[in-house]
Amino acid sequence: MAKPKKRHALSTRLWHWTNALALILLFMSGLNISNAHRRLYWGDDGFLPEQAWLEVPRFPGWATIPDYYSLATARDWHVILSLVLGFSLLAFMLFALFNGHLKRDIWLRAREWKPRNIGKDIREHLRLNFDHGEGKYNILQKIAYAGVIFVLIPLMIFTGMVMSPGMEAAWPWMTEFFGGRQSARSIHFIAAWSLFAFFVVHMLLVVAAGPIHQLRDMITGGKE
Amino acid sequence: MQRRNFLVAAGAAFLAGCNEIGKSEWFGKVVEGAEGWHRGLHRALGGGRITMAPEYTRADLSPYFRGNGSLTVDTEAYRAAEGSGFADWRLRVGGLVNNPGELSMQDIRALPQRTQITRHDCVEGWSAIGEWTGPQLSSILDAAGVQEGANFIVFRCADDLNGARYYESCDMDDAFHPQTIIAHQLNGEALPVRNGAPLRLRIERQLGYKHAKYLTGIDVVASLDDIERGEGGYWEDRGYQWYAGI
C-alpha cells in the first residue's frame, strides 16, 4: 500500500476538523437538551426522581448552544450535526482502512500490550517526552484514538439512534442491546463526557508537545 | 491573563455566531433538509414505511404516567362534560372525506379496538410506559372515505396552551399505521383528565408532543399551510420539528 507523503493524510485532516466542529456543536447543544429534563435513568422508562440514578446539574448559558434555554433550537443543531458526525466518521473509517492508516498507525499490536511497554509509555508521558515508541503513535495514543474512533463516537451515534422513536421502530433490537431507551440516554450522556475528557487531555498534550507545530501539521499535513 | 481574555472573547464570539446562525432563514432550510434525511434513513433502514414501535407487557407499566403540557381544559363546557363522564363528547370527522360527521363515545367504543402497551417519549427526555385502548384511526378514516388529494390528517383539540389552541398533524403513513389509535383508556381505565380525557391520539413512532389530547375533531386536508401558523402543530409553530421521529 502506498505510504502517504504527509504526516497526516488529507482525508484524516478533513475528518479531524469536521469531526471536531461537529462534536463541539453537538456537545454544547446537548447540554441545552439535557437542561430540559435533568435526571438520568436505567431501563426503558423513567420520570420520577426515585427512579433516577443521577440528578444532572443545570448547565449555564455560556456552555450551551444557543446560549439561552431553547430545546427546539438545540434539537435543530443536533438534527443537523448528528448526520455530519455519522457520515463523516463512516467516510473516515473507509479512507483509513484503504490508505493503511488504521493498520499502520492505530492498530494495537500484541507486543505493545505488554505491561512493561505500557508502564514505560506512562513514565515517558509524565516526563513530557512524546517522541518515543516505534510507530507514529505510542500505545497510550493508540488506545485513546482507537477508543474515540471505535468506541465513544459510535456509542454516541448508536445511542442517539435508539433515542429517535422513528429509528427505534426500524431497528428495535438496538434498543434492547443498550438495555432500553433510558439506558441508551444515560450511556449517551456518559460517552459525551468521556469525549469531553478526551478533548481536555488532547488539548493539554497538544499544548505540551508544541501547539504551533501540531496545529500546522494537522492543517497542512506536515512531513512524514 | 491576555491569553485568557482572548479565549473568553473567542468563546463569546463563537456563541454569538451560533445564536445568529440558529435564527437565520437558511439554518431553518438546512434543518428541514436534515429532518428529511433522518426520516428517509428511518424508512430505508427499517425496510419500509410501516415499521412497528416496540410493545411491552403489563409488568413493564410505569408506576406513574405523567401529564404534561395542558393538564385539563379550562372551560365551562369541559368541566360540564367531565361532570357527566364525557357521555356527550363528540369527535367530528371532516375535510376531504365522503361522509363527514360526528362520532359519539358509544360509536368509538363500538369500533374494533386495539390495546397496546407502548412507551411514551417526551421531547424533554423522560419516558413512561402505558397501556392504551381505542379504535385504529384507519378504521375511522375508512368509514369516512378519504378523498383523492388528501395528504395530511389534522387533529383538533379542546385545550389552549399559553393562549393558543393545541393541534397536531401527521402524514397518511402514520394515519393508517396499525399502532395509530384514538385512545379512550389508559391502563384499562377511562383516560385520566391530565392524560387527555376523553380522547387522545397515540402515534407511536413519534415524540410525545405529537400525541394530541382532548380530541374534538379530525380534518383530512391537502396542505397544512393555511392552518394556524402553517407548520402543522402547536409546538411545530413554535420551532419544533414536524417529523418528531428523531
Side-chain angles (χ1 to χ4, degrees):
Chain A
M1 70 200 68
K3 217 170 178 213
K5 290 173 205 72
K6 303 218 170 210
R7 180 170 166 79
H8 303 298
L10 178 63
S11 58
T12 305
R13 283 176 277 145
L14 278 175
W15 172 73
H16 175 270
W17 293 113
T18 308
N19 187 61
L21 183 65
L23 281 180
I24 290 168
L25 293 170
L26 283 164
F27 185 73
M28 294 177 73
S29 57
L31 296 185
N32 203 321
I33 294 172
S34 173
N35 283 345
H37 184 74
R38 297 183 296 108
R39 283 194 287 274
L40 293 173
Y41 317 91
W42 297 116
D44 294 305
D45 60 328
F47 166 70
L48 298 169
E50 55 265 35
Q51 292 172 288
W53 68 270
L54 185 66
E55 194 84 32
V56 181
R58 181 177 298 285
F59 299 110
W62 57 262
T64 67
I65 293 175
D67 67 359
Y68 50 91
Y69 173 68
S70 170
L71 179 57
T73 310
R75 278 175 53 81
D76 284 347
W77 284 101
H78 243 64
V79 162
I80 298 171
L81 272 308
S82 55
L83 292 174
V84 175
L85 185 79
F87 284 108
S88 66
L89 180 71
L90 188 64
F92 167 70
M93 281 180 166
L94 290 173
F95 271 98
L97 184 68
F98 289 112
N99 70 14
H101 181 38
L102 276 189
K103 200 172 162 215
R104 195 178 53 239
D105 305 321
I106 307 288
W107 192 258
L108 286 145
R109 290 168 180 81
R111 62 171 184 277
E112 292 180 284
W113 275 115
K114 292 203 184 96
R116 244 185 60 193
N117 181 46
I118 298 177
K120 181 176 153 262
D121 199 32
I122 293 173
R123 281 197 302 279
E124 293 296 331
H125 270 90
L126 291 175
R127 285 189 198 123
L128 299 183
N129 170 23
F130 308 113
D131 224 0
H132 63 275
E134 48 191 302
K136 190 192 284 184
Y137 301 137
N138 57 59
I139 174 102
L140 290 188
Q141 253 179 316
K142 285 186 177 184
I143 292 172
Y145 294 159
V148 166
I149 296 165
F150 295 104
V151 182
L152 291 180
I153 301 179
L155 266 182
M156 294 307 298
I157 294 168
F158 288 115
T159 53
M161 287 162 84
V162 165
M163 282 190 280
S164 297
M167 186 61 227
E168 184 190 34
W171 285 1
W173 49 266
M174 211 157 59
T175 310
E176 282 168 41
F177 176 81
F178 285 109
R181 181 183 203 256
Q182 289 299 326
S183 293
R185 183 167 167 265
S186 291
I187 295 166
H188 199 74
F189 186 88
I190 294 167
W193 281 98
S194 305
L195 281 167
F196 181 77
F198 168 83
F199 172 77
V200 170
V201 173
H202 187 53
M203 288 300 104
L204 289 175
L205 289 177
V206 164
V207 167
I212 307 288
H213 173 80
Q214 296 284 340
L215 259 176
R216 190 194 59 207
D217 280 8
M218 217 10 152
I219 294 167
T220 65
K223 290 198 190 74
E224 182 58 53
Chain B
M1 223 30 226
Q2 265 182 341
R3 185 179 298 167
R4 204 181 141 209
N5 287 342
F6 171 76
L7 285 175
V8 169
F14 175 73
L15 276 179
C18 288
N19 281 355
E20 283 312 303
I21 291 170
K23 284 175 194 153
S24 70
E25 209 167 299
W26 62 266
F27 181 79
K29 296 232 161 60
V30 176
V31 174
E32 241 170 71
E35 199 181 312
W37 267 75
H38 280 277
R39 194 148 167 258
L41 282 168
H42 294 173
R43 287 174 173 188
L45 295 173
R49 303 201 296 192
I50 303 301
T51 52
M52 298 291 275
E55 296 193 20
Y56 298 85
T57 66
R58 298 214 88 189
D60 302 315
L61 292 179
S62 293
Y64 171 75
F65 205 107
R66 187 193 185 190
N68 202 16
S70 299
L71 299 178
T72 186
V73 182
D74 192 18
T75 63
E76 277 306 318
Y78 185 82
R79 275 187 287 275
E82 188 188 346
S84 65
F86 300 105
D88 300 321
W89 194 270
R90 293 279 187 280
L91 183 72
R92 188 185 48 77
V93 181
L96 299 173
V97 292
N98 296 326
N99 319 304
E102 286 190 340
L103 295 171
S104 69
M105 292 301 286
Q106 284 98 311
D107 294 335
I108 283 167
R109 281 191 279 262
L111 287 164
Q113 303 288 300
R114 190 178 204 277
T115 294
Q116 58 199 34
I117 301 176
T118 52
R119 204 190 59 234
H120 180 93
D121 299 321
C122 178
V123 66
E124 295 167 356
W126 53 269
S127 306
I129 296 175
E131 183 192 70
W132 306 94
T133 301
Q136 290 174 318
L137 177 59
S138 61
S139 60
I140 295 175
L141 293 175
D142 283 338
V146 173
Q147 292 173 354
E148 197 87 3
N151 294 317
F152 304 99
I153 310 294
V154 178
F155 302 94
R156 305 291 188 172
C157 308
D159 59 313
D160 282 343
L161 195 54
N162 305 314
R165 187 53 52 92
Y166 205 90
Y167 77 106
E168 259 305 337
S169 64
C170 72
D171 66 8
M172 300 312 263
D173 287 342
D174 271 318
F176 284 90
H177 188 279
Q179 288 171 319
T180 300
I181 65 173
I182 303 297
H184 54 83
Q185 282 188 355
L186 171 59
N187 298 338
E189 315 253 338
L191 202 54
V193 167
R194 70 165 185 274
N195 300 111
L199 296 173
R200 89 172 296 175
L201 175 66
R202 294 302 307 169
I203 178 162
E204 303 293 354
R205 297 184 299 172
Q206 302 208 39
L207 294 171
Y209 63 85
K210 276 279 173 191
H211 302 232
K213 305 196 280 192
Y214 315 106
L215 287 178
T216 57
I218 293 169
D219 284 319
V220 182
V221 301
S223 159
L224 301 170
D225 291 346
D226 297 329
I227 301 163
E228 301 287 336
R229 296 186 204 166
E231 301 295 335
Y234 174 88
W235 286 112
E236 289 86 333
D237 284 341
R238 286 152 186 82
Y240 285 81
Q241 287 96 24
W242 180 75
Y243 175 58
I246 309 168

